[in-house]
Amino acid sequence: MASTTHPVDEVPPTRHLVAFGLQHVLAMYAGAVAVPLIVGGAMRLPPADLAYLITADLLVCGIATLIQCVGVWRFGVRLPIMQGCTFAAVSPMVLIGTEGGGLPAIYGSVIVAGLAIMLLAPVFGKLLRFFPPLVTGTVILVIGLSLLPVAGNWAAGGVGAEDFGEPKNLALAAFVLLVVLGVQRFAPAFLSRIAVLIGIVVGLAVAVPLGFTDFGGVKDADWLGISTPFHFGAPTFHVSAILSMLVVALVTMTETTGDLIAVGEMTGREVKPRSLADGLRADGFSTVLGGVFNTFPYTAYAQNVGLVGMTRVRSRWVVAAAGGMLVLLGLLPKLGAVVAAIPAPVLGGAGLVMFGTVAASGLRTLTRVEFRGNDNLTIVAVSVAVGLLPVGVPTVYAKFPDWFQTVMNSGISAGCLTAIALNLLFNHLPARSGSGNAEAGDPSGGGADGGVHKPREEAV
């Protein structure tokens, strides 16, 4: 029986579930708490409210991850996908929170956006034919490359840190990176799969005596904290806030589609239109939950996509275990404070490996694409360039309207939209004379797949 079980559905022993799951939690924790910290900080919320936002976020992160991995009816892609607050919503939420009605207006727009995602999920599912390996490989490559600056900022000490860029921070990150590589190369198979976790634990053991971290916040944190619906008041619905959040919803759906396809590639379980729609529907439901339970829109976390690729642990139950841990962290603020005390350089050293793995997975997908005698190289080149533009020059679109910034300031959505558009332009429009690759009615991805797969078919 075991031999017929797909690796995605296998349930590892309990000790493996705990170790692998904890590794996923540590990989995404800093990103997960960053969104409530940024939004709450911009609104100048008191420390008690900030702490409440963080515990609420962790609780819903856990519930959202469980829905996505385990699946309930038509909700959840049933792949190892970690859910967390999307950064695409940060700028609009800060604007709404500071100028357009405060937290109740944010939560009203988040609830509407979540409902919209649930309604649009089947439509996005039908768009899967426009994601041949040419597009998915490019998107996965852009996801990995756009995350690398996050790891770089962590390695330098964390954005806004007084000692940002100090050699000691980079030395600690380099030490963690070397530990991860050493464990992966020389340790037994099981230990090599938790190389990131071992690197973080060893890095923390070195960081504490050297004064890199302060556990003072653990003492002040409560033992029990339960998020109640509409803690900050009943949601209010402002048209401008809702419109900006609907743009965010389209961006997060595009990003999630890229992440789901990436995990499908890594785990050997192809994401089909129905399962993509189920995954997006879970995103929408989690976003509605976020609006009700005082937190923000949710999406698949690319950090953990890299971890799946690096460890080659494909079981969705591992990530479900991580979701359970997040629920615990959301209910037990003291535990959350312990994890929050891990210094940024320790996460940075591990992040460099994980995010680099995502980019390398994109390159691996692109090896299946035929680049001779077509324009596929141009599609990849321009898509990567457009995707990395806001990553390398964050203020490049500062003079543009807010809706445009929301879409294009996310390198992932910018690169994804460009790849889809160029693939349509070069591979789906009627072919130039002498070329018979582009057939409008091709259900496998039109001319794109024709251009990608024809040489293989001829070889067969």
Side-chain angles (χ1 to χ4, degrees):
M1 184 73 183
S3 61
T4 62
T5 304
H6 194 282
V8 167
D9 299 318
E10 285 178 357
V11 183
T14 304
R15 69 179 191 280
H16 290 191
L17 277 177
V18 172
F20 294 146
L22 180 58
Q23 191 168 236
H24 273 282
V25 170
L26 296 178
M28 62 82 69
Y29 190 90
V33 300
V35 174
L37 279 174
I38 294 167
V39 175
M43 294 176 65
R44 293 182 168 79
L45 295 180
D49 284 350
L50 267 181
Y52 194 94
L53 284 182
I54 290 169
T55 52
D57 174 32
L58 293 172
L59 176 66
V60 181
C61 271
I63 295 169
T65 299
L66 285 166
I67 293 170
Q68 196 68 276
C69 295
V70 178
V72 179
W73 187 55
R74 296 297 302 278
F75 293 83
V77 73
R78 294 168 174 82
L79 283 173
I81 291 285
M82 202 84 181
Q83 297 284 103
C85 278
T86 174
F87 282 86
V90 168
S91 298
M93 288 193 303
V94 167
L95 276 173
I96 298 165
T98 53
E99 299 172 18
L103 284 172
I106 291 177
Y107 295 139
S109 64
V110 167
I111 289 169
V112 174
L115 292 171
I117 291 171
M118 289 166 68
L119 288 172
L120 289 172
V123 179
F124 253 72
K126 293 189 174 82
L127 298 179
L128 205 55
R129 64 191 292 273
F130 298 114
F131 286 83
L134 173 66
V135 172
T136 57
T138 304
V139 171
I140 297 166
L141 176 61
V142 170
I143 290 172
L145 294 177
S146 63
L147 283 171
L148 284 173
V150 176
N153 281 321
W154 286 346
V159 177
E162 290 180 10
D163 61 349
F164 186 86
E166 289 278 349
K168 64 175 186 176
N169 290 336
L170 293 164
L172 178 58
F175 171 72
V176 171
L177 175 60
L178 289 173
V179 170
V180 172
L181 294 174
V183 170
Q184 197 165 10
R185 173 64 182 86
F186 299 110
F190 168 66
L191 290 179
S192 72
R193 289 180 171 179
I194 54 169
V196 170
L197 176 60
I198 293 171
I200 290 173
V201 170
V202 172
L204 185 60
V206 170
V208 171
L210 294 178
F212 273 91
T213 189
D214 175 21
F215 285 96
V218 178
K219 186 178 63 185
D220 301 331
D222 295 328
W223 276 107
L224 187 65
I226 298 174
S227 180
T228 53
F230 307 125
H231 174 78
F232 295 99
T236 57
F237 301 92
H238 300 269
V239 174
S240 59
I242 288 169
L243 288 175
S244 63
M245 207 54 70
L246 287 175
V247 174
V248 170
L250 292 173
V251 172
T252 57
M253 290 178 83
T254 306
E255 290 185 355
T256 298
T257 299
D259 289 333
L260 296 187
I261 291 170
V263 172
E265 295 261 352
M266 290 174 182
T267 57
R269 173 172 280 177
E270 184 187 353
V271 174
K272 295 193 164 63
R274 176 170 169 152
S275 52
L276 174 62
D278 291 349
L280 292 171
R281 201 176 284 113
D283 255 16
F285 180 70
S286 303
T287 297
V288 172
L289 271 187
V292 173
F293 285 94
N294 321 293
T295 176
F296 307 115
Y298 285 85
T299 187
Y301 254 32
Q303 289 95 312
N304 298 83
V305 174
L307 196 53
V308 170
M310 181 191 158
T311 61
R312 298 186 292 282
V313 176
R314 296 184 275 176
S315 171
R316 60 191 170 108
W317 298 104
V318 163
V319 180
M325 292 176 197
L326 285 173
V327 171
L328 269 181
L329 290 172
L331 296 173
L332 303 171
K334 204 172 275 291
L335 272 181
V338 172
V339 179
I342 296 174
V346 171
L347 294 172
L352 286 169
V353 190
M354 293 188 303
F355 303 162
T357 302
V358 179
S361 298
L363 291 175
R364 184 175 62 191
T365 301
L366 286 172
T367 60
R368 293 161 44 195
V369 177
E370 178 58 58
F371 286 103
R372 287 170 300 181
N374 55 39
D375 299 297
N376 288 342
L377 196 64
T378 302
I379 295 171
V380 175
V382 176
S383 303
V384 171
V386 173
L388 294 185
L389 196 57
V391 177
V393 190
T395 56
V396 67
Y397 300 122
K399 306 289 187 187
F400 284 74
D402 289 341
W403 67 267
F404 187 88
Q405 290 187 51
T406 302
V407 176
M408 298 303 288
N409 272 342
S410 163
I412 297 170
S413 65
C416 186
L417 292 172
T418 305
I420 292 169
L422 292 180
N423 179 49
L424 287 172
L425 174 66
F426 284 104
N427 292 324
H428 281 255
L429 287 180
R432 289 177 294 220
S433 58
S435 170
N437 283 356
E439 294 180 23
D442 181 1
S444 64
D449 271 2
V452 172
H453 296 305
K454 192 169 183 182
R456 271 195 293 169
E457 290 164 4
E458 289 172 354
V460 171

